[in-house]
Amino acid sequence: MNFFSQISTRGYLKSFLSVGAIQGGFMALNYLTQILLANHLSVEDYGELTYYLSLVNFFVVVVLVGQNNYLPKELIRLASGGSYALLRRVIRRGLNNILIAWVCCVAVAFTAVYTGLISVNSYVVLTLSGIVLFLALGTYRQAFQRAFGQVKVSQIPEKVLFAGLYLLFLGVSVFLFEVRFSVINLLTATAGFYLLVQFAGYGLMKANLLKIPRAYQNQNTPKKPAGPLFFYLMSVIDIFDSYLDYYLLEYYAGYESLAVYSISKRVSLLIFTVIYTSNYVLGPEVSKLYFSGQVKELQTRVRKAVLLNMALATILVLLLILFRTPLLQMFGQYYAAETGLWVFVLLMAAQWVNVTLGAPSQILAATGFEKSVLHVFTVAVIFQLSAGWWFIGQWGITGMALLFLINSVYWNGALQIIMKRKTGISLFSRS
């Protein structure tokens, strides 16, 4: 019995629950933080902070140049083929690419500031640049850990330690010392804590055993495995699509509308935690099972994961809609009053679709069909860019939520069809 046949459903569930507990803890801490900030800051300042942090998440993906998705798959492929000599070279090259991309982004950003192309304080740009670097390095470390069996501990620094320290800092400052934070103060604190947790992350990685997959004969390895470029383009398009609603609302409606919309979307992301956890655990196993020719076992694993995701997402949607008003009131009466029922329901429906049908993007990326994902996401971005002004103009933030739902149905449905054709795997098929 080889290494891959020992991967059991029980093992998947154990990893799912472990990662889910970490992600759940992070979400709880993050929501407490957002509740504190939403009540502490003005609506405009909260919208501005949300906008800056969405830019951080976008540029982290830009700086990663696809390494976060490419690295686990490539390291598993090389190790499973016995190409251990190439592992160190791939890891070093990926880190160098990240640093070069970060330097280029910082140079462009400061050039834009000093030439007057963008009207942003240079200190804000410097602080955002630091956050981007620290998050990119942490994400790269997580990708390495996922490939070599440290899935459970890889997220602890960013998801638990940072969130806990940041919330503690804010709580003590606001409630004990009555500090009034500005957006710049909060960005500075964020950068400092992300720097601190990188040292903790490296220490955790060194303290835990790395599990190198045993070599075997590849059966399903593509003739020309996709390089990081495809993962890079896919990641950039994906993250841009994820935050495009924020950018469109900021441009067409302003920071206040963005703030109101972002609160409902933050609540809806409680549902998205399910697919995030599932993909984080399932991704490396998809590569292992597919490359070893165990497609039937992979189909079984995917079906069980999807049914679990659907059940959890349905329960969460019903609970969140039922407790909509008290949840929104936690962020402040203004947000509860300004958020219509349809905005909330449409965002919940979109996340339900993403969780229930969201596995194909991860499966296609992990099995060598990244181009298909890239094409689908590109069409989704073009559609939102071309239709956003009309939906927002007609119905405001409700229109943006409706557009988000339509796009979610499109890309998940299209990827399901492509996955079936490319890999023979279906989300609900028994065999």
Side-chain angles (χ1 to χ4, degrees):
M1 182 179 293
N2 65 26
F3 173 81
F4 298 101
S5 62
Q6 298 173 24
I7 302 172
S8 64
T9 302
R10 182 180 297 178
Y12 168 79
L13 288 174
K14 186 177 180 181
S15 295
F16 181 91
L17 292 174
S18 298
V19 175
I22 294 172
Q23 182 67 13
F26 166 72
M27 294 293 285
L29 293 171
N30 184 55
Y31 274 88
L32 289 173
T33 300
Q34 297 305 320
I35 289 169
L36 192 156
L37 290 174
N39 285 277
H40 176 76
L41 298 173
S42 67
V43 176
E44 185 172 354
D45 280 352
Y46 186 74
E48 183 179 358
L49 180 64
T50 299
Y51 179 70
Y52 283 145
L53 294 180
S54 71
L55 288 178
V56 165
N57 290 329
F58 174 75
F59 279 103
V60 166
V61 172
V62 172
V63 167
L64 281 169
V65 289
Q67 294 296 327
N68 56 316
N69 292 317
Y70 169 76
L71 191 68
K73 173 175 171 288
E74 183 66 5
L75 294 184
I76 290 171
R77 186 182 72 84
L78 292 173
S80 62
S83 304
Y84 301 114
L86 295 176
L87 291 177
R88 190 179 299 274
R89 188 186 308 171
V90 168
I91 295 168
R92 184 169 57 249
R93 183 175 62 219
L95 182 59
N96 289 338
N97 289 340
I98 288 173
L99 294 175
I100 292 171
W102 178 76
V103 170
C104 291
C105 285
V106 171
V108 170
F110 276 102
T111 300
V113 169
Y114 289 127
T115 58
L117 188 62
I118 58 175
S119 56
V120 178
N121 187 296
S122 59
Y123 181 76
V124 170
V125 175
L126 178 63
T127 307
L128 293 177
S129 300
I131 298 173
V132 168
L133 176 62
F134 304 144
L135 273 175
L137 293 176
T139 305
Y140 188 71
R141 186 202 70 251
Q142 289 180 29
F144 177 85
Q145 290 176 286
R146 288 173 64 200
F148 295 128
Q150 292 189 6
V151 173
K152 299 173 187 177
V153 302
S154 62
Q155 291 190 301
I156 290 177
E158 286 79 13
K159 297 295 186 181
V160 178
L161 186 58
F162 168 81
L165 289 174
Y166 190 57
L167 177 59
L168 179 63
F169 166 74
L170 290 178
V172 170
S173 300
V174 171
F175 294 116
L176 292 185
F177 299 101
E178 299 183 352
V179 176
R180 299 297 300 180
F181 286 109
S182 66
V183 173
I184 293 179
N185 295 150
L186 292 170
L187 292 176
T188 303
T190 301
F193 283 118
Y194 271 128
L195 173 61
L196 178 63
V197 300
Q198 295 317 307
F199 293 103
Y202 182 77
L204 273 176
M205 183 179 70
K206 297 291 289 185
N208 286 270
L209 179 67
L210 294 175
K211 300 176 183 178
I212 308 297
R214 297 176 186 174
Y216 66 92
Q217 183 63 40
N218 290 336
Q219 297 184 31
N220 286 317
T221 304
K223 294 181 179 179
K224 293 182 179 180
L229 175 61
F230 290 109
F231 285 96
Y232 178 49
L233 294 175
M234 185 175 67
S235 298
V236 170
I237 293 295
D238 184 20
I239 195 69
F240 186 61
D241 183 71
S242 298
Y243 287 101
L244 186 54
D245 49 355
Y246 284 9
Y247 305 145
L248 289 171
L249 281 171
E250 190 277 333
Y251 185 79
Y252 290 114
Y255 284 135
E256 290 191 11
S257 293
L258 170 57
V260 173
Y261 176 89
S262 71
I263 293 296
S264 289
K265 190 173 182 182
R266 287 184 191 281
V267 175
S268 75
L269 287 175
L270 285 168
I271 307 167
F272 189 76
T273 302
V274 176
I275 192 64
Y276 173 87
T277 304
S278 179
N279 283 348
Y280 196 89
V281 176
L282 191 62
E285 292 195 11
V286 169
S287 296
K288 294 171 186 176
L289 292 169
Y290 186 78
F291 291 149
S292 63
Q294 299 187 64
V295 178
K296 186 175 181 179
E297 170 64 20
L298 177 57
Q299 173 64 76
T300 301
R301 189 69 52 78
V302 168
R303 180 176 180 274
K304 290 180 178 179
V306 169
L307 291 177
L308 175 62
N309 293 346
M310 178 185 289
L312 292 174
T314 302
I315 293 171
L316 283 172
V317 166
L318 294 176
L319 288 174
L320 291 175
I321 292 177
L322 181 63
F323 295 102
R324 176 181 73 94
T325 300
L327 280 172
L328 293 174
Q329 287 176 341
M330 293 173 66
F331 293 90
Q333 291 296 331
Y334 177 85
Y335 297 104
E338 292 296 317
T339 302
L341 174 63
W342 278 110
V343 174
F344 196 83
V345 171
L346 288 170
L347 287 173
M348 296 300 137
Q351 297 298 358
W352 186 90
V353 170
N354 289 335
V355 170
T356 303
L357 304 178
S361 62
Q362 179 67 37
I363 293 170
L364 288 168
T367 53
F369 299 104
E370 303 82 7
K371 290 183 181 179
S372 299
V373 182
L374 177 61
H375 295 159
V376 170
F377 281 174
T378 301
V379 173
V381 166
I382 294 173
F383 173 62
Q384 280 201 84
L385 282 172
S386 58
W389 66 272
W390 188 81
F391 276 85
I392 295 173
Q394 290 291 316
W395 301 294
I397 61 174
T398 305
M400 189 65 253
L402 176 60
L403 180 58
F404 185 68
L405 173 59
I406 293 171
N407 229 20
S408 297
V409 172
Y410 154 68
W411 81 60
N412 286 296
L415 289 175
Q416 158 68 10
I417 295 171
I418 293 170
M419 180 183 70
K420 177 65 175 178
R421 291 178 179 175
K422 298 286 188 180
T423 68
I425 299 168
S426 178
L427 292 184
F428 302 102
S429 177
R430 290 183 178 273
S431 60

